[in-house]
Amino acid sequence: TSRFHVVTKVYELAQPFSFFLTKVAGIADKYNSTLALDIKDILSADMGNLVASCQFNYMFDIPWLVQQYPKEFRSKPLLIVHGEQGPSKTTLEAEAIDYSNVRFCQAKLEMLFGTHHTKMMLLQYDTGMRVVIHTSNLIKQDWHQKTQGIWISPLFPKMAKPSATEGDSTTHFKRNLLEYLSAYKAYQLKDWINNISEHDMSTARVVIIGSVPGRHTGDQMKSWGHMKLKRVLQQHGPSNGVVKNWPVIGQFSSIGSMGANKEAWLCGEWLQSLSAATGGTTLSSVPLLKLVFPTKDNVRCSLEGFPAGGSIPYSINVAKKQMFLHDFFHQWRSEGQGRSRAMPHIKTYLRPSPDNQKTAWFLVTSANLSKAAWGALEKKGTQLMIRSYEIGVLFLPKFFGGKDLFDVSSNFEMLKSSTDVFPLPFDLPLTDYIKGKDRPWMWDIPYMDLPDTNGNIWCPG
Ligand SMILES: O=C(O)c1c[nH]c2c(Br)cccc2c1=O
């Protein structure tokens, strides 16, 4: 673990983004070194001497999770923030019966079909605290052979005097984190909210993009979901003149119902926010949209085989209503990072240059392509309806040395030797679906014509 310590040190110096992928079992070591972390690395004593932690997530395996902490930390207070209700809440709490240090906080889900997707760790040490925002469930398989994203904060030192307003960064990280946690209105989070206000988070360089369930109006409408992203891009994003012909890329592992056509929400609302820029967006140029979603064969030939598709829950009943969406799709390909066969559970969004050398911004988040996650405008655009809890971090060049753009690459060799090239999880240019052959992965239909990596077929239901 001392090696890890060195790596972290070197890495923080080498690459200011502190954006990692998860380690993948079964690929060459070089793809699992400085750019990749396992959950045990995040929880390691090299990151700090843990006093208490709080784990926000969707799926939990409590005994497995406790085992990922170093043994000297396994009895420290652990708060689990989840969205389970009724019997599944009882089942989850029963899993922790043997762990007297584990407490639970049930996130309110009053909007139908809402989920608690947010994946975040609050790690309190004796010397300060860290925030980790990522995309993996707290189950073994999510950390084994998938492509997942992790942002780890710097160590935030404790302040002499607690303050909810002092100790913030130029990106309003601390204020946004406190706003997000307060939105739960959960008494179990009170101590963590107080804890955060006692820390100096002025070194945070990312912008929090969160979603909380509700019908948000007035100022709150621009505090969450795609309207928050829009506002931040209008204030701190690229100038419209630079990016007006640049595509928007969305990459995700699940998809909601988009409505009857692309104008209903995808291009008429969501893309308008993701293509926001400073200096206003000329209405004429509706930007190019490119989406990355695995094909059936990407899944079949993956390291996990068809079972990888168990975490890519795109239903045929949703897909058949929105065939227009599939024209935007591109394959999952990550040769540069050695992860073409490590199926994506990461969700990322970016605005790359046509020559694929730059991006105007990069977002890693729990939010899939769905109205539930990003929000849908209602009442003539006066309210934003969000069903789920989500959180992500936005990287803007302005806050990383006042640049206009990030250099980007997914090529491991390039990334290993460079200091501030943004590490992309997948390859640019994107790879088209093969016409007449490729279909998007759907998890609830059988595939019996060709065997997967393990020689198996897929017969759901
Ligand atoms: O937020 C997440 O991480 C996820 C949310 N919903 C899922 C369903 Br439904 C089925 C299988 C996997 C997931 C999942 O991974």
Side-chain angles (χ1 to χ4, degrees):
T1 54
S2 61
R3 177 184 57 75
F4 173 77
H5 198 62
V6 169
V7 163
T8 315
K9 281 266 167 293
V10 165
Y11 196 69
E12 272 172 346
L13 293 178
Q15 199 242 59
F17 311 108
S18 203
F19 171 60
F20 298 82
L21 301 181
T22 48
K23 282 181 178 161
V24 173
I27 66 175
D29 283 353
K30 68 176 186 175
Y31 296 118
N32 281 331
S33 62
T34 53
L35 286 157
L37 294 176
D38 182 43
I39 185 167
K40 289 187 172 170
D41 299 323
I42 299 170
L43 299 174
S44 149
D46 290 308
M47 300 299 273
N49 183 25
L50 198 76
V51 168
S53 63
C54 182
Q55 295 281 0
F56 295 71
N57 220 299
Y58 171 70
M59 291 170 144
F60 298 85
D61 174 341
I62 304 288
W64 173 84
L65 171 59
V66 171
Q67 288 301 314
Q68 306 317 302
Y69 287 80
K71 57 183 172 306
E72 64 269 28
F73 298 156
R74 288 176 193 162
S75 52
K76 302 293 182 187
L78 166 58
L79 179 62
I80 302 284
V81 184
H82 65 89
E84 299 303 328
Q85 299 171 332
S88 59
K89 172 180 175 177
T90 309
T91 305
L92 178 63
E93 294 181 345
E95 261 190 67
I97 201 102
D98 296 338
Y99 304 97
S100 59
N101 58 313
V102 175
R103 292 282 184 283
F104 291 92
C105 170
Q106 178 195 348
K108 294 187 316 304
L109 279 167
E110 288 152 355
M111 310 286 285
L112 206 56
F113 306 122
T115 48
H116 186 259
H117 270 172
T118 286
K119 296 166 173 70
M120 173 163 66
M121 305 181 186
L122 303 176
L123 305 173
Q124 180 63 51
Y125 309 112
D126 51 8
T127 55
M129 72 175 287
R130 281 187 204 271
V131 178
V132 179
I133 291 174
H134 63 107
T135 63
S136 301
N137 283 293
L138 293 173
I139 58 177
K140 187 183 181 69
Q141 77 184 62
D142 263 41
W143 297 82
H144 184 50
Q145 292 186 310
K146 299 179 188 298
T147 298
Q148 303 267 23
I150 306 166
W151 172 77
I152 301 191
S153 78
L155 181 66
F156 295 134
K158 204 153 187 158
M159 295 193 302
K161 247 165 29 59
S163 158
T165 50
E166 297 298 305
D168 205 348
S169 71
T170 51
T171 65
H172 306 302
F173 181 88
K174 181 169 172 176
R175 182 178 77 193
N176 287 173
L177 182 58
L178 288 169
E179 278 165 355
Y180 176 80
L181 296 176
S182 304
Y184 283 77
K185 298 188 177 61
Y187 70 89
Q188 300 95 328
L189 289 175
K190 188 173 68 64
D191 292 347
W192 278 103
I193 287 171
N194 293 338
N195 207 5
I196 285 160
S197 57
E198 292 179 353
H199 286 79
D200 174 352
M201 301 190 162
S202 53
T203 52
R205 302 165 89 172
V206 292
V207 180
I208 286 177
I209 307 289
S211 290
V212 295
R215 289 185 169 80
H216 306 294
T217 58
D219 279 356
Q220 281 295 297
M221 194 171 84
K222 297 178 180 177
S223 298
W224 313 107
H226 73 73
M227 294 300 284
K228 165 71 181 274
L229 181 54
K230 181 176 190 176
R231 179 160 57 96
V232 172
L233 291 175
Q234 285 172 332
Q235 286 174 345
H236 305 295
S239 73
N240 186 48
V242 169
V243 295
K244 64 180 183 302
N245 301 317
W246 294 19
V248 167
I249 292 184
Q251 175 275 314
F252 37 80
S253 61
S254 183
I255 308 168
S257 174
M258 298 283 112
N261 54 51
K262 67 185 169 73
E263 280 69 32
W265 180 79
L266 183 70
C267 297
E269 178 176 327
W270 182 79
L271 182 56
Q272 296 306 315
S273 290
L274 271 79
S275 57
T278 56
T281 36
T282 46
L283 289 177
S284 61
S285 62
V286 176
L288 212 48
L289 174 63
K290 298 179 175 223
L291 302 177
V292 178
F293 188 75
T295 65
K296 170 235 173 182
D297 279 336
N298 290 158
V299 174
R300 182 175 66 83
C301 302
S302 71
L303 292 165
E304 298 173 88
F306 283 126
S311 296
I312 307 175
Y314 191 27
S315 160
I316 179 129
N317 294 319
V318 173
K320 67 189 180 188
K321 290 186 298 185
Q322 50 198 32
M323 301 303 277
F324 67 85
L325 184 68
H326 306 159
D327 298 338
F328 293 95
F329 282 4
H330 297 78
Q331 296 191 47
W332 171 259
R333 190 169 181 282
S334 177
E335 289 300 299
Q337 294 268 28
R339 285 167 168 80
S340 292
R341 300 181 64 216
M343 283 301 101
H345 190 262
I346 191 171
K347 294 91 174 145
T348 61
Y349 304 82
L350 65 151
R351 190 89 194 261
S353 56
D355 69 2
N356 298 309
Q357 302 303 311
K358 310 275 186 183
T359 191
W361 51 266
F362 184 92
L363 173 67
V364 58
T365 172
S366 60
N368 281 303
L369 186 67
S370 78
K371 291 157 61 170
W374 287 93
L377 288 168
E378 296 179 336
K379 294 210 160 68
K380 292 190 176 20
T382 60
Q383 75 181 21
L384 183 68
M385 194 275 276
I386 295 177
R387 298 180 187 275
S388 297
Y389 292 86
E390 312 279 355
I391 200 165
V393 290
L394 177 67
F395 298 86
L396 280 164
K398 172 178 188 175
F399 299 115
F400 288 84
K403 300 185 301 186
D404 291 338
L405 300 170
F406 290 131
D407 291 324
V408 295
S409 174
S410 64
N411 181 300
F412 176 78
E413 305 304 335
M414 151 87 88
L415 293 169
K416 191 175 58 174
S417 57
S418 66
T419 52
D420 61 358
V421 174
F422 195 90
L424 295 183
F426 52 83
D427 299 335
L428 293 178
L430 299 178
T431 303
D432 290 341
Y433 272 31
I434 299 166
K435 296 271 174 292
K437 167 187 174 281
D438 281 327
R439 296 281 182 281
W441 166 260
M442 288 171 272
W443 76 325
D444 51 357
I445 57 174
Y447 300 106
M448 303 194 281
D449 51 335
L450 289 170
D452 73 1
T453 301
N454 306 315
N456 297 319
I457 57 176
W458 182 252
C459 302

